[in-house]
Amino acid sequence: MIKNFFPALAVGLSALSSAAIVASPVHAEDKKAGQIHVRGSILNYSGSTLKVKTREGETLDVALADGWKVSSVANAKVADIKPGDFVGIASLPKKGGGDGALEVLIFPPALKGTGEGSYGWDLKPNSSMTNATVADAVKGVEGRTVTVSYHGKEKKISIPDGTPVVTFAPATADDLVPGAVVFVPAEKAGTGTIAHQVLVGKNGVVPPM
């Protein structure tokens, strides 16, 4: 999915390794008490600290841990979602039953199985994140409906036309510029907010998760 040749290959592999953690929801009972998701835009990056204006309007300093990694996302198409693909879909329950997608992340084959399951997610109230294998994808009047399977269970999720669909892409610290949109899985510690990974918007594509 981020298979770029030669010079970018090493960067891409590094991005993949970090992205595995970025997009992996956890069981509620396994989630650390201080684990948070930081969504917002960069105010400043100083090398070991990322200052972010969060979507809630707060200014937050995020300390970047030793060995932290950065990756980005690239646009994909709903038509790219095929049986056998492993995807991460944030969704909301629909009034008529089933779930409607808020965004879709297509994982590369190397990350199939990452964070498999369906869990609560904080993109919107009552949203969930489902990391699962696509069993089938059917085109309908209002978009595409996929049936995904995880741990012997199945879930149907409709993907309305216009739903953001992305895949992972490489990035470097040079992409952490003021105004860039970020999604940062982080932890609240006694010394502040600490992160090991940063997902940054690039080339007009922002992290939708």
Side-chain angles (χ1 to χ4, degrees), residues 78-79 81 136-147 159-162:
V78 68
I81 303 169
D136 62 49
V138 180
K139 178 67 177 174
V141 175
E142 298 181 354
R144 191 172 297 261
T145 297
V146 297
T147 300
I159 306 174
D161 292 336

Side-chain angles (χ1 to χ4, degrees), residues 10 17 26 40 46 48 51 58-59 66 68 71 82 90 94 98 115 132 136 142 144 147 162 176 180 184 198 205:
S17 66
V26 295
S46 66
S48 61
K51 187 182 291 291
E58 176 188 6
T59 297
D66 291 344
W68 68 278
S71 56
K82 297 178 175 60
K94 298 194 304 181
D136 62 49
E142 298 181 354
R144 191 172 297 261
T147 300
L176 301 180
V184 186
V198 176
V205 186

Side-chain angles (χ1 to χ4, degrees), residues 8 16 18 23 37 57-58 71 77 104 114 127-128 130 157 187 196:
L16 280 176
S18 62
H37 294 145
E58 176 188 6
S71 56
K77 299 177 181 178
V104 181
T114 298
S127 63
S128 62
T130 303
I157 305 176
E187 296 175 17
H196 294 267

Side-chain angles (χ1 to χ4, degrees), residues 17-44:
S17 66
S18 62
I21 302 174
V22 165
S24 300
V26 295
H27 289 286
E29 61 269 25
D30 295 334
K31 187 175 180 179
K32 296 179 181 178
Q35 191 173 55
I36 62 170
H37 294 145
V38 179
R39 299 174 175 91
S41 57
I42 296 174
L43 293 175
N44 183 57

Side-chain angles (χ1 to χ4, degrees), residues 99-192:
D99 274 29
L102 299 171
E103 58 87 21
V104 181
L105 170 69
I106 303 174
F107 285 87
L111 290 180
K112 187 169 185 175
T114 298
E116 183 175 359
S118 189
Y119 318 96
W121 195 243
D122 58 356
L123 181 58
K124 289 188 176 182
N126 301 317
S127 63
S128 62
M129 174 67 76
T130 303
N131 282 13
T133 300
V134 177
D136 62 49
V138 180
K139 178 67 177 174
V141 175
E142 298 181 354
R144 191 172 297 261
T145 297
V146 297
T147 300
V148 295
S149 61
Y150 56 93
H151 301 315
K153 301 178 182 179
E154 284 194 344
K155 186 174 184 178
K156 288 186 181 294
I157 305 176
S158 63
I159 306 174
D161 292 336
T163 300
V165 180
V166 299
T167 184
F168 289 123
T172 71
D174 290 338
D175 296 309
L176 301 180
V177 296
V181 176
V182 291
F183 171 78
V184 186
E187 296 175 17
K188 283 283 190 182
T191 54

